[in-house]
Amino acid sequence: MARVNLSAGVSFLKYCATGVVNTLVSYLVFLLLRRIGATAAVSLAIGYASGMVTSYLLNALWTFAQPVKSGRQALRFLVANLFVLLISEALLQWIMHHITHVADVAQAINLLPTTLVGFYINRRYVFKVNSNRLSRDEKNDNHFWLFGLIAFLLVAVQRTIVLFGEWEAAKIHHLPVSAYQLWVKGMIHWDARWYLEIAQFGHQNIAQTAFWPFYPWVIRWTHEWTSLSYPVAAIVVSLVSFFLAIWVMLLWVNGWLGFKAALSAAILFCFYPTSFYFDAAYTESLFLLLMFLSVEASRRNRIWWANIFASLATLTRNTGGLIGFILFFQYLQNKQMDFRFWLPVWWRKLSWQAVAFLLPSASLLIYCYHLKQRFHSWMPFLKAERKHWHRQFMWPWKAFAHTLYLYHHPRLTVMQHRYIAFELAAFLVMLVLLVSSLGLLAWRRRFTEWGVLLYMLSVSFITSSEPSMNIPDYLVSLPRYVLMLFPGFAAIAKLLRSLVLCVLIAALCAIVLAWKSGVFFRGIWIA
């Protein structure tokens, strides 16, 4: 035991020394690039990347004495250090708020807990010695990077289609066209303005609490670290998250349903008619990245990481916590457990790590406590939904029936006839995704499929039962909310069993995607 503690102590000292070295490398690269005329933002980015590479190599080869062979190990290192960075930022803000307002002193206090957390995560997660896992990672590296390339190509094609739709709309309606208009300004409408305002000033009133905090936080951090303007930072966050989300989606569906289903699902998902929200300053990209990271970590039996990502997803959208259905049933499958929880053997198989399932609820409770301190209400977002957006509960089938009635009596609403038809189509797509998930459960009959079906049912129910009564709009935002039903796209891909058919469906969807992208570019409400 003493030998283990001594080894850990030596590794910790090496970890601290590595931190000093990579900080020096980052600073020297920054100074060198500034000397030769590079901008501060470019110098900072390249310097930081140089420090990260130095840190990875030194920690792998010296601190933890492991070979640098696995691409997954490098990705784990990147994810772990981004997570540590988020913890450091949160701790720094807490220290400055509760202990000292002097930033330098606060950062000095922040160094110790951040370093300890970083060491623990790198030792237990990134560079953990496990020869069987390492050999599997080396074996699957080509698949891993192949999915990265596929994700990049899919996102590039999707963005090209969105740009084409924007350019056509600008041409037809004689709107100004520039790179900034097409990439940034044209993607900032409606909810995006709320997120940017919250990113700059925080939640200032109850109406803003309807918009959850994590996406604005990431925008603000990106702005502070890169000096990009808030609008550009928001688009960068969305596009990077979109690419990473598709990458992780491919990994998850491949591990769950196989390569063909993964590729088909990603194609259907990328070219869904409202996927342009992934390119806009909306939460969709970041939210789905966190959801995919959560389910993929759960599939790999990384229960703590799965629930950490689920907690962040919960702080990004109010439906994030529902991913717990998939995580819990995946946990039962990994543990080879059943539903007979009344038996003692069931509880013996339930390890202490199941405590991790409390993390999403705990994060929500902490956020609600913050809102109580700020607005004197535990859940002001419910009041905001009712008072400012006139949301009320209505059974989904009634919401559909009322929307169908408006379609046949368009004079009763200010909404355009085509918009109502689009909402009705989205409701039917939702039903198809639900039926596909049910069909996959009937076919495979595994715990994962049970979790997927429960997630799909709960998200579908919530998103189709909140009409906005002042317009009225009974299926408001449903065409966008369909994107949250991501497991349904995988289920359809698996049941169709034809990549060619999925590509043909995606091609038809891409035509609608280009059209709707142009509509959104003009600032017209879609979802």
Side-chain angles (χ1 to χ4, degrees):
M1 186 70 177
R3 183 176 298 176
V4 173
N5 291 335
L6 179 61
S7 174
V10 171
S11 295
F12 179 70
L13 292 176
K14 289 182 177 180
Y15 180 80
C16 294
T18 298
V20 174
V21 172
N22 69 57
T23 300
L24 288 174
V25 169
S26 297
Y27 186 60
L28 290 175
V29 171
F30 175 82
L31 290 179
L32 177 62
L33 291 173
R34 290 292 290 154
R35 181 64 63 90
I36 63 177
T39 64
V42 171
S43 302
L44 179 64
I46 297 177
Y48 185 79
S50 302
M52 285 283 287
V53 172
T54 303
S55 176
Y56 173 65
L57 294 175
L58 286 177
N59 277 315
L61 298 174
W62 184 51
T63 306
F64 302 103
Q66 289 198 15
V68 183
K69 293 181 179 180
S70 173
R72 294 181 186 276
Q73 184 188 72
L75 182 64
R76 289 200 302 269
F77 178 81
L78 178 61
V79 171
N81 280 273
L82 287 174
F83 178 68
V84 172
L85 190 60
L86 293 176
I87 291 178
S88 177
E89 178 71 23
L91 282 175
L92 181 63
Q93 296 299 325
W94 185 87
I95 292 169
M96 291 185 66
H97 184 72
H98 293 281
I99 299 178
T100 175
H101 296 295
V102 182
D104 294 340
V105 176
Q107 179 57 18
I109 298 173
N110 188 34
L111 277 176
L112 179 59
T114 301
T115 302
L116 289 172
V117 170
F119 174 72
Y120 179 82
I121 290 176
N122 278 281
R123 187 168 185 263
R124 296 300 301 271
Y125 173 67
V126 180
F127 299 106
K128 183 178 181 180
V129 178
N130 187 329
S131 58
N132 291 332
R133 179 175 293 278
L134 187 61
S135 62
R136 279 200 309 271
D137 288 347
E138 292 172 357
K139 182 179 178 180
N140 293 328
D141 261 354
N142 290 335
H143 235 194
F144 177 82
W145 295 113
L146 174 63
F147 282 143
L149 177 61
I150 292 172
F152 178 80
L153 293 174
L154 287 175
V155 171
V157 173
Q158 187 266 8
R159 192 64 183 99
T160 302
I161 292 171
V162 172
L163 285 171
F164 174 77
E166 292 178 292
W167 183 80
E168 279 292 314
K171 180 180 177 182
I172 293 172
H173 297 278
H174 308 290
L175 300 174
V177 178
S178 67
Y180 185 80
Q181 289 281 344
L182 295 174
W183 284 89
V184 180
K185 191 173 181 180
M187 290 285 104
I188 298 177
H189 298 293
W190 303 99
D191 291 6
R193 297 192 181 99
W194 288 88
Y195 288 118
L196 289 177
E197 186 175 346
I198 295 168
Q200 294 179 69
F201 308 110
H203 287 92
Q204 299 294 311
N205 54 65
I206 288 181
Q208 292 176 327
T209 61
F211 301 91
W212 291 67
F214 191 64
Y215 180 60
W217 290 349
V218 177
I219 294 173
R220 185 195 312 152
W221 297 335
T222 304
H223 162 74
E224 291 174 351
W225 298 336
T226 64
S227 299
L228 294 171
S229 67
Y230 280 99
V232 174
I235 297 301
V236 168
V237 169
S238 292
L239 288 175
V240 172
S241 298
F242 182 26
F243 161 63
L244 294 176
I246 299 304
W247 193 349
V248 182
M249 179 188 187
L250 286 162
L251 292 169
W252 174 59
V253 181
N254 177 61
W256 174 29
L257 300 173
F259 181 85
K260 183 190 288 186
L263 183 57
S264 300
I267 291 172
L268 290 172
F269 195 62
C270 280
F271 301 108
Y272 183 74
T274 56
S275 69
F276 59 84
Y277 281 105
F278 294 139
D279 309 78
Y282 273 65
T283 60
E284 267 64 24
S285 288
L286 181 61
F287 175 73
L288 286 163
L289 170 60
L290 294 169
M291 297 289 267
F292 284 130
L293 286 170
S294 180
V295 293
E296 174 63 2
S298 176
R299 188 184 67 82
R300 295 177 177 278
N301 206 23
R302 297 285 188 177
I303 194 65
W304 282 95
W305 279 109
N307 282 280
I308 287 171
F309 290 128
S311 299
L312 297 177
T314 302
L315 295 177
T316 307
R317 291 191 73 95
N318 59 353
T319 52
L322 298 175
I323 199 67
F325 284 119
I326 298 179
L327 303 189
F328 181 70
F329 280 88
Q330 183 68 59
Y331 178 80
L332 294 181
Q333 182 169 303
N334 292 342
K335 288 285 186 178
Q336 297 182 340
M337 299 169 69
D338 54 28
F339 291 118
R340 295 178 294 176
F341 59 87
W342 56 87
L343 298 178
V345 67
W346 193 91
W347 292 96
R348 283 197 294 269
K349 287 184 178 182
L350 194 71
S351 72
W352 67 271
Q353 292 192 0
V355 175
F357 286 107
L358 298 176
L359 288 178
S361 298
S363 66
L364 179 60
L365 182 62
I366 293 171
Y367 178 59
C368 288
Y369 176 76
H370 165 73
L371 293 176
K372 177 69 167 60
Q373 298 296 109
R374 180 73 177 82
F375 299 107
H376 309 291
S377 173
W378 284 93
M379 292 184 285
F381 42 84
L382 296 180
K383 181 180 179 181
E385 292 282 2
R386 289 194 303 268
K387 181 178 179 180
H388 298 278
W389 280 269
H390 306 277
R391 295 292 187 103
Q392 295 182 15
F393 173 78
M394 179 178 289
W395 293 105
W397 48 89
K398 288 188 176 180
F400 177 79
H402 281 295
T403 305
L404 189 62
Y405 184 81
L406 289 180
Y407 179 78
H408 291 291
H409 301 83
R411 294 183 180 179
L412 298 178
T413 179
V414 297
M415 308 306 295
Q416 293 184 2
H417 199 246
R418 287 180 295 183
Y419 170 80
I420 299 173
F422 196 51
E423 286 188 332
L424 291 171
F427 190 91
L428 296 177
V429 170
M430 182 186 74
L431 292 180
V432 170
L433 295 174
L434 284 172
V435 171
S436 299
S437 299
L438 181 61
L440 191 64
L441 172 62
W443 177 18
R444 291 167 61 89
R445 298 183 181 181
R446 299 174 62 189
F447 277 143
T448 300
E449 282 71 31
W450 273 109
V452 163
L453 181 62
L454 289 173
Y455 169 81
M456 295 281 292
L457 287 171
S458 57
V459 172
S460 298
F461 182 84
I462 291 174
T463 55
S464 60
S465 61
E466 297 181 320
S468 185
M469 301 302 295
N470 62 321
I471 298 175
D473 190 353
Y474 297 101
L475 294 175
V476 60
S477 298
L478 187 62
R480 173 163 55 96
Y481 291 159
V482 168
L483 296 171
M484 288 190 284
L485 303 175
F486 59 90
F489 289 86
I492 287 178
K494 184 65 175 178
L495 293 174
L496 289 178
R497 306 177 71 176
S498 171
L499 179 61
V500 174
L501 181 57
C502 289
V503 170
L504 290 175
I505 295 173
L508 295 175
C509 289
I511 297 173
V512 185
L513 170 62
W515 167 41
K516 290 298 181 181
S517 299
V519 175
F520 183 79
F521 174 77
R522 293 163 52 203
I524 297 175
W525 173 260
I526 294 178

